[in-house]
Amino acid sequence: LGGRGWTGESSADGATRGGGGGGRGGGEDGVAGGGLANGGGGAAGDALQEARSLLEGAISTRRRLMGETHPEVSLGMAQLATVLRAQGDLGAASDLLERATEQLDASRFAAEAQAGEGAKVTARLGALLAGALNSLGLLRKQQGRFAEAQSLYTRASSLYDTCTSTSSPDAVVCRHNLAELALAAGDETRARAIQLDIVRRVEAGTERSAAG
């Protein structure tokens, strides 16, 4: 996995979760919590540039200490892509997200093949991969590439369901993105069906929590 002893716990969780999980807190992005979106000039632009500089430095350090393909490096790349997308640099954001998803996919495959890694690490890698796929889906939607966005969201949703739970905040946000994509494509029937599915997921999760 590019560095021995990785437990699946991210040293950058606080930066990626935006107040509740890898893109939780109501944001549509599965990597950063949505607070960086739509950054233009002024204070917002300055904050984005500062975030970009910090992330570039963090990625450089991780590469030196952990290796190019370590999950923490991939996570940093996905975070940086979110900032670049907010700055309007869609090409660079796309390149980073494609590399991040490829590396996380490979790390997850390697973890599954190593009995000693354990289910926790595999699930963590799956959730990180889902976040990167969801972010790439957002980018593809922004580029008008709806079919690709739907495929990415669908895979991310499946991973979240498997690696977290069907009612987890990340899973719900990803399903919401699918509904928004359907609306953007003019498919109100599909969007409504997904929205109803979200309600059922949340209700089921609430019932499980109450029962536990």
Side-chain angles (χ1 to χ4, degrees):
L1 298 182
R4 289 186 291 179
W6 194 70
T7 63
E9 296 299 327
S10 171
S11 63
D13 277 352
T16 60
R17 292 185 179 181
R24 304 115 164 132
E28 63 179 5
D29 199 301
V31 176
L36 296 176
N38 301 319
D46 290 343
L48 283 170
Q49 189 56 46
E50 182 180 2
R52 178 173 179 170
S53 297
L54 289 171
L55 284 168
E56 288 173 341
I59 292 169
S60 178
T61 299
R62 292 175 189 178
R63 280 177 174 149
R64 185 175 68 255
L65 297 177
M66 302 173 179
E68 175 65 35
T69 61
H70 193 279
E72 287 284 350
V73 175
S74 303
L75 175 59
M77 290 164 59
Q79 292 173 319
L80 178 57
T82 298
V83 175
L84 293 174
R85 182 169 67 85
Q87 289 182 317
D89 194 346
L90 303 188
S94 179
D95 289 343
L96 278 176
L97 280 171
E98 287 173 2
R99 288 167 56 197
T101 54
E102 288 175 3
Q103 291 179 188
L104 286 169
D105 214 357
S107 294
R108 182 167 177 263
F109 179 80
E112 289 175 343
Q114 297 175 20
E117 290 294 343
K120 182 178 179 182
V121 171
T122 302
R124 172 64 176 161
L125 287 168
L128 289 177
L129 175 58
L133 289 167
N134 183 63
S135 294
L136 188 54
L138 289 168
L139 180 59
R140 293 292 181 253
K141 177 188 175 186
Q142 191 172 350
Q143 294 173 319
R145 296 157 64 173
F146 287 4
E148 291 179 54
Q150 179 172 327
S151 178
L152 290 161
Y153 286 151
T154 300
R155 188 181 176 206
S157 179
S158 178
L159 280 168
Y160 277 137
D161 289 351
T162 301
C163 300
T164 59
S165 77
T166 57
S167 60
S168 71
D170 282 330
V172 169
V173 166
C174 191
R175 297 295 291 174
H176 171 75
N177 289 343
L178 267 171
E180 289 294 304
L181 181 65
L183 282 175
D187 192 343
E188 294 185 8
T189 300
R190 174 173 167 75
R192 179 60 177 166
I194 296 172
Q195 289 166 348
L196 289 173
D197 176 64
I198 291 172
V199 173
R200 286 193 291 268
R201 286 166 176 255
V202 173
E203 289 177 344
T206 301
E207 290 175 2
R208 285 194 297 271
S209 296

